[in-house]
């Protein structure tokens, strides 16, 4: 179709009663139009608007002198591909107003070529109105689609990265606790080997059982990433504290916690990290755990009587505490750490309050 529109202007010039200078001028304008058309595609910045303006002038001159209005279709297509919103609407308005004014002028002056091709002129005018808008909107949709695909790809990459980090933290916490327990029981078994061989054998059996339990938990975590119940985690906490000869006190009832499985999993992993840090770094002889439920939050407080933080032989704020903070922030929770007469870690997560049975039935 574009090839036909390229041939037609030569027909309009040669079919009329044009003189030789008019024919030469017309052919020159046609060649200049296509040169400007190519330049407008390969140019950047203000040059695009300059070459497009030259094309509009040539199109108007061809309409008035030779009755050829179809250059406006080339312009309508090109203007629709302009990315700049301001530049698009400026050139679109100029093309539309000038095309309507020129066609009306041709009818007023009774241009024979315009009158004889009135249906095609009308179709061209409709195309000048709709084609730029349609092309511009289509390009915008394609651009938004590309941006959406890029955003979805980035989101997917971020989700994968976050999942890898979460799995790495969970594996670190799970293996860290179990390996600490194995190390403590192995040291104890070594000390009891001569004094009490039977007790040493029991400790070695516990080491074997703990290793199997750790392997089982790692496999389950990797395959299904199952949730961790606080009630189950408390049993392991008591085991590792007992092996480390740290006295344990529990206040509150974990079975009465009314939180989501996700929040309970986060609390369980944070509790595991907190107890691991106590065993490794605190030199404490006593550890207390308090579970308090309010109307809006679940508060879990872990306190020891060790050396505290940022002191000789004490434990500093490292990756473990940062991981706890990140987990709690993910579920809109908070982490507060105090170091007075030991270390106190306060974990708080939103509480999920179930509706009464009577309200649920309504």
């Amino acid at each position: 179709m574009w090839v036909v529109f390229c041939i037609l202007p030569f027909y309009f010039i040669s079919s009329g009663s044009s003189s030789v200078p008019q024919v030469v001028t017309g052919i020159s304008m046609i060649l200049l139009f296509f040169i400007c058309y190519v330049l407008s595609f390969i140019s950047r910045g203000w040059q695009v608007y300059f070459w497009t303006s030259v094309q509009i002038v040539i199109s108007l001159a061809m309409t008035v002198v030779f009755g050829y209005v179809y250059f406006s279709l080339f312009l309508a297509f090109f203007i629709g591909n302009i990315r700049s919103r301001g530049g698009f609407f400026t050139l679109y308005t100029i093309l539309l107003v000038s095309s309507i004014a020129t066609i009306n002028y041709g009818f007023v002056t009774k241009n024979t070529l315009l009158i004889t091709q009135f249906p095609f002129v009308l179709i061209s005018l409709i195309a000048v109105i709709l084609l730029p808008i349609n092309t511009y909107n289509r390009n915008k949709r394609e651009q938004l689609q590309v941006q959406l695909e890029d955003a979805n790809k980035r989101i997917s990459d971020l989700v994968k990265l976050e999942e890898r980090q979460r799995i790495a933290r969970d594996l670190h916490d799970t293996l860290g606790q179990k390996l600490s327990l194995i190390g403590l029981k192995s040291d104890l078994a070594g000390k009891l080997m001569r004094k009490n061989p039977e007790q040493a054998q029991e400790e070695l059996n516990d080491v074997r059982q703990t290793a199997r339990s750790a392997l089982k938990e790692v496999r389950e975590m990797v395959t299904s990433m199952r949730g961790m119940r606080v009630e189950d985690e408390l049993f392991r906490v008591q085991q590792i504290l007992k092996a480390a000869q740290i006295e344990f006190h529990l206040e509150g009832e974990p079975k009465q916690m009314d939180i989501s499985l996700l929040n309970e999993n986060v609390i369980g992993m944070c509790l595991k990290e907190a107890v691991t840090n106590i065993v490794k770094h605190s030199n404490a002889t006593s550890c207390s755990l308090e579970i308090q439920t309010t109307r809006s939050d679940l508060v879990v407080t872990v306190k020891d009587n060790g050396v505290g933080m940022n002191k000789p032989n004490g434990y500093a704020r490292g990756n473990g505490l940062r991981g706890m903070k990140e987990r709690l922030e993910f579920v809109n929770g908070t982490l507060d750490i105090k170091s007075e007469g030991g270390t106190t870690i306060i974990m708080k997560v939103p509480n999920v309050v179930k509706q009464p049975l009577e309200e649920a039935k309504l």
Side-chain angles (χ1 to χ4, degrees):
M1 186 176 65
W2 291 118
V3 172
V4 172
F5 288 138
C6 292
I7 298 174
L8 281 177
F10 297 96
Y11 167 77
F12 275 79
I13 292 174
S14 60
S15 63
S17 57
S18 302
S19 60
V20 174
Q22 287 180 322
V23 172
V24 174
T25 303
I27 294 176
S28 301
M29 286 194 298
I30 294 171
L31 297 177
L32 180 60
F33 178 87
F34 286 114
I35 291 174
C36 294
Y37 195 69
V38 173
L39 291 175
S40 62
F41 268 101
I42 64 177
S43 300
R44 295 291 183 270
W46 64 270
Q47 296 180 355
V48 175
Y49 303 103
F50 173 77
W51 296 120
T52 306
S53 301
V54 174
Q55 294 174 70
I56 293 175
V57 173
I58 296 174
S59 176
L60 298 179
M62 290 291 294
T63 303
V64 173
V65 178
F66 301 103
Y68 183 75
V69 298
Y70 306 112
F71 275 154
S72 59
L73 297 177
F74 287 87
L75 288 165
F77 173 76
F78 175 77
I79 291 174
N81 286 284
I82 293 179
R83 299 289 182 87
S84 172
R85 182 182 180 87
F88 165 76
F89 282 105
T90 300
L91 292 177
Y92 174 69
T93 303
I94 293 174
L95 176 64
L96 183 60
V97 172
S98 60
S99 298
I100 293 175
T102 306
I103 292 173
N104 287 332
Y105 175 78
F107 285 128
V108 170
T109 57
K110 298 181 179 180
N111 189 315
T112 306
L113 289 175
L114 281 178
I115 295 174
T116 55
Q117 56 177 332
F118 175 75
F120 302 103
V121 172
L122 182 60
I123 293 174
S124 299
L125 186 58
I126 294 174
V128 169
I129 297 173
L130 300 180
L131 183 60
I133 296 293
N134 181 65
T135 305
Y136 180 79
N137 290 335
R138 186 186 69 246
N139 291 337
K140 281 294 182 182
R141 285 195 301 270
E142 292 176 354
Q143 184 179 1
L144 291 175
Q145 184 66 28
V146 171
Q147 293 176 354
L148 180 61
E149 291 176 357
D150 182 62
N152 289 335
K153 183 179 179 181
R154 294 181 60 185
I155 291 173
S156 177
D157 293 338
L158 290 174
V159 169
K160 291 178 182 178
L161 178 61
E162 177 63 24
E163 184 66 14
R164 291 192 188 102
Q165 292 176 347
R166 186 177 70 86
I167 293 174
R169 287 196 301 264
D170 293 346
L171 287 174
H172 167 266
D173 294 343
T174 300
L175 290 178
Q177 186 190 53
K178 292 294 185 296
L179 292 177
S180 298
L181 180 59
I182 291 173
L184 290 170
K185 285 187 172 292
S186 298
D187 294 339
L188 182 59
K191 294 177 182 179
L192 296 173
M193 190 66 68
R194 295 181 180 179
K195 297 179 180 180
N196 192 343
E198 294 181 359
Q199 183 66 26
Q201 184 62 41
E202 292 181 2
E203 296 297 336
L204 290 176
N205 291 335
D206 289 343
V207 169
R208 186 183 303 108
Q209 184 63 31
T210 303
R212 291 176 178 174
S213 175
L215 180 60
K216 180 175 179 291
E217 284 190 15
V218 169
R219 285 174 176 172
E220 290 178 349
M221 188 177 299
V222 171
T223 55
S224 61
M225 297 305 294
R226 65 180 180 85
M228 180 69 70
R229 291 287 184 181
V230 172
E231 185 178 359
D232 297 333
E233 188 60 32
L234 284 177
F235 177 75
R236 299 182 182 91
V237 166
Q238 292 175 358
Q239 277 189 319
I240 190 171
L241 290 177
K242 182 179 178 181
Q245 298 180 350
I246 298 176
E247 189 178 356
F248 177 68
H249 302 281
L250 173 63
E251 297 181 15
E253 182 54 55
K255 293 183 179 181
Q256 295 179 357
M257 293 189 307
D258 191 9
I259 59 176
S260 66
L261 180 60
L262 175 61
N263 288 2
E264 189 171 0
N265 184 45
V266 170
I267 287 292
M269 298 304 294
C270 292
L271 182 61
K272 180 184 298 184
E273 177 65 27
V275 173
T276 301
N277 287 337
I278 291 174
V279 172
K280 286 183 176 180
H281 309 292
S282 70
N283 294 329
T285 60
S286 175
C287 173
S288 63
L289 173 64
E290 181 183 358
I291 300 175
Q292 183 181 4
T293 303
T294 65
R295 292 183 60 87
S296 59
D297 300 298
L298 172 71
V299 183
V300 178
T301 304
V302 182
K303 184 177 181 180
D304 66 70
N305 63 347
V307 297
M309 302 182 62
N310 299 321
K311 295 182 180 180
N313 300 323
Y315 58 93
R317 299 174 184 266
N319 293 330
L321 295 178
R322 183 165 58 248
M324 293 169 60
K325 187 174 185 297
E326 291 175 355
R327 287 192 182 93
L328 291 169
E329 288 178 347
F330 180 75
V331 294
N332 296 323
T334 59
L335 177 68
D336 188 18
I337 303 174
K338 299 179 181 179
S339 184
E340 298 177 359
T343 302
T344 302
I345 297 177
I346 303 173
M347 297 171 283
K348 184 184 295 186
V349 294
N351 196 12
V352 179
V353 181
K354 295 182 179 179
Q355 294 182 348
L357 182 60
E358 292 77 11
E359 294 182 8
K361 293 180 179 179
L362 296 179

